[in-house]
Amino acid sequence: MKNILLEDRNCECCGNKSNKLELIWSGSRIVKGISDTYLFEHSISVCSRCGFAFSSPCPTEESLKVFYGDSLSNFGVLPAYSVEKRLDILKNLSLSYESTIVEIGGNYAKEFHSEVNKLFDKFYNTELNNDINISNSRSLINFNNEVDVIAHYDVLEHVPNVKKFLKLCYSALKDDGIMVCEVPNVRLYNRSFGVQDVFHVNHFSVTTLSRIAKYCGFELIKVGHNASSRAISFVTVFKKTNIYVDKSTYVNQSEYFDTISILYDSIEQVKMLHKHIEEIRKKILKLINSGKSVTLWAVTEFLSMFLDNFDLPEKVVVVDADPRKSNMLKHKNISVSTPEVCRKHIINSDLLVIFSPRSKNNILEWINKDSAILDNKKVEVIGVTKSNVDLNSTQLLPRL
């Protein structure tokens, strides 16, 4: 097992020192990559001066580079975002076809990338994930004042040095070039499990993101909430300028109090999630001891949480539609099969627990094909908030 190394971090929104932050949340998680296992120590602190929420100590850039390089791509996975909404933002930029666009961290997004290729003459994809074979890959540092548009979706929340990242974008863009950035909205954490995402080291509001971008020479020209491709996010459009602002005097107490309140609401959501997990654990043990059958579907972060400090009975079957995940629980001595192999067991299960809320309807549709019907009373879904909203879909939800 590899430990994700940590380092202290000052506030990038106002410059406040790491010893003047308020710790709100901390925890740890063991995460399985393709070839190795990683221990993440995770925390969220809020700057008492400006209200920016972020991790300090924070995973080092080098540790995260190794981890993300060892992660599974999204190949064959239905996108958890609206392709149409992403394209609408790009179309509304009204740029000529001769323009150049670079997407950072796009992963495997066949449908979206196919459409982007029709809008721009040159399209490049910058990606750390070694599980992806990219023909149009090019590092951002190899561009200098030559890109018309840079787009990154659900990326900046993972970046331990935000200003360094944004300055690279700034250098790559032409004068008056455009940056499209979409990130989870900390203002919506009160209805999600946002505080416990070990992969997120930044928790932005429009205010904190736009302020940090200003320090790097970007002017905010558009904000979209309903226009974002995921309902837990907001999308921003920035323009490269030659105007910079000083951060040393920036204070925003209302942002601080608002963020603190929202994060504590998110913690309450997490407590309810853990309560639900404990209830399902007891239900499974009771069923197995009575000779009943149980299926767990989807190897996700929710399943990892479920298995923490819990010995899964051997007779419980775990399935995932992605065959690449067959060894993802090997470190726990749990085998993962594809649903096709276990179809009879799944149909006859006395309890089916789904760990991917956004996939629930597709899973039940697959089970109920050929007139096989699974009683809904035998189905439990882990990862739905108290408002009964699936937050990982394009309607509203926490990232898996």
Side-chain angles (χ1 to χ4, degrees):
M1 182 185 299
K2 292 183 178 179
N3 287 345
I4 298 295
L5 302 178
L6 304 174
E7 59 186 1
D8 287 335
R9 179 181 174 204
N10 295 334
C11 178
E12 293 196 70
C13 190
C14 73
N16 209 2
K17 301 299 182 183
S18 60
N19 60 355
K20 295 183 179 180
L21 308 174
E22 184 172 343
L23 179 65
I24 301 298
W25 171 269
S26 63
S28 62
R29 183 79 53 78
I30 295 174
V31 181
K32 182 70 175 67
I34 295 175
S35 60
D36 218 324
T37 304
Y38 303 83
L39 175 62
F40 274 81
E41 298 288 346
H42 176 240
S43 66
I44 299 178
S45 295
V46 178
C47 177
S48 58
R49 194 162 76 178
C50 72
F52 179 40
F54 60 99
S55 296
S56 182
C58 177
T60 64
E61 288 185 53
E62 194 56 40
S63 288
L64 290 179
K65 184 177 180 180
V66 172
F67 169 72
Y68 286 120
D70 190 34
S71 300
L72 283 174
S73 71
N74 290 334
F75 178 81
V77 179
L78 291 173
Y81 57 84
S82 167
V83 172
E84 291 75 17
K85 288 189 175 183
R86 290 190 178 182
L87 292 172
D88 284 344
I89 293 290
L90 296 178
K91 290 174 182 177
N92 288 335
L93 297 177
S94 300
L95 296 173
S96 68
Y97 172 74
E98 288 73 25
S99 301
T100 298
I101 184 172
V102 174
E103 185 184 7
I104 304 170
N107 208 289
Y108 187 87
K110 183 178 180 180
E111 182 182 354
F112 176 58
H113 290 168
S114 175
E115 294 301 316
V116 171
N117 268 314
K118 299 175 184 178
L119 299 177
F120 297 89
D121 180 38
K122 294 180 181 178
F123 169 44
Y124 298 97
N125 191 356
T126 298
E127 179 60 59
L128 286 177
N129 194 313
N130 296 324
D131 191 42
I132 303 173
N133 183 18
I134 302 175
S135 60
N136 61 339
S137 179
R138 185 175 169 185
S139 175
L140 196 63
I141 61 175
N142 293 327
F143 294 97
N144 183 25
N145 201 43
E146 57 186 295
V147 178
D148 296 284
V149 181
I150 288 177
H152 44 91
Y153 308 91
D154 299 312
V155 170
L156 203 58
E157 66 270 22
H158 300 269
V159 176
N161 191 326
V162 178
K163 287 188 291 184
K164 178 181 177 181
F165 177 93
L166 293 180
K167 287 175 180 177
L168 279 173
C169 294
Y170 186 92
S171 297
L173 284 168
K174 296 177 181 178
D175 292 344
D176 294 327
I178 296 296
M179 179 177 71
V180 178
C181 171
E182 186 173 312
V183 291
N185 188 354
V186 72
R187 292 286 176 269
L188 298 179
Y189 278 25
N190 61 336
R191 44 181 163 170
S192 76
F193 313 113
V195 294
Q196 68 163 9
D197 195 320
V198 299
F199 309 120
H200 291 184
V201 298
N202 305 301
H203 308 273
F204 296 105
S205 67
V206 174
T207 300
T208 54
L209 174 59
S210 60
R211 190 73 191 184
I212 296 172
K214 270 188 177 182
Y215 302 142
C216 302
F218 285 103
E219 176 190 358
L220 180 65
I221 60 174
K222 184 175 182 179
V223 177
H225 292 278
N226 291 334
S228 64
S229 67
R230 298 175 70 223
I232 59 162
S233 304
F234 64 86
V235 62
T236 52
V237 180
F238 293 93
K239 182 172 72 172
K240 177 179 176 178
T241 72
N242 58 1
I243 302 173
Y244 300 85
V245 295
D246 179 20
K247 67 180 178 182
S248 60
T249 59
Y250 182 63
V251 177
N252 192 334
Q253 284 293 291
S254 60
E255 182 80 10
Y256 163 73
F257 288 118
D258 198 19
T259 302
I260 289 286
S261 173
I262 288 166
L263 292 177
Y264 279 125
D265 285 345
S266 183
I267 290 172
E268 289 304 310
Q269 294 276 8
V270 173
K271 288 179 180 178
M272 293 179 67
L273 172 64
H274 282 282
K275 181 180 178 181
H276 188 205
I277 284 175
E278 189 56 37
E279 291 171 352
I280 299 303
R281 286 172 174 173
K282 291 178 180 178
K283 191 172 184 179
I284 287 175
L285 293 176
K286 185 177 180 179
L287 286 169
I288 293 299
N289 288 337
S290 301
K292 306 294 184 179
S293 60
V294 175
T295 301
L296 310 184
W297 190 313
V299 180
T300 66
E301 284 304 300
F302 288 130
L303 179 59
S304 296
M305 289 175 57
F306 184 86
L307 296 175
D308 282 348
N309 302 312
F310 178 64
D311 293 325
L312 190 70
E314 291 184 6
K315 293 184 179 180
V316 174
V317 172
V318 180
V319 301
D320 194 289
D322 187 345
R324 297 173 302 166
K325 294 186 177 181
S326 60
N327 293 320
M328 294 301 283
L329 299 178
K330 190 176 181 180
H331 62 295
K332 291 182 175 290
N333 296 317
I334 298 173
S335 61
V336 180
S337 304
T338 58
E340 290 78 8
V341 174
C342 306
R343 179 168 173 79
K344 184 176 181 180
H345 180 277
I346 295 169
I347 293 172
N348 295 317
S349 289
D350 296 284
L351 176 64
L352 169 67
V353 186
I354 297 173
F355 291 88
S356 176
R358 72 184 181 92
S359 303
K360 175 188 173 183
N361 291 339
N362 288 337
I363 290 171
L364 295 181
E365 184 178 315
W366 180 87
I367 291 173
N368 293 333
K369 68 180 182 181
D370 302 328
S371 299
I373 302 297
L374 182 67
D375 188 346
N376 282 335
K377 294 179 180 179
K378 297 180 179 180
V379 179
E380 292 278 0
V381 182
I382 299 291
V384 178
T385 62
K386 66 181 180 182
S387 56
N388 199 31
V389 178
D390 180 354
L391 298 174
N392 206 26
S393 70
T394 55
Q395 266 76 59
L396 238 213
L397 162 118
R399 181 187 176 96
L400 290 178

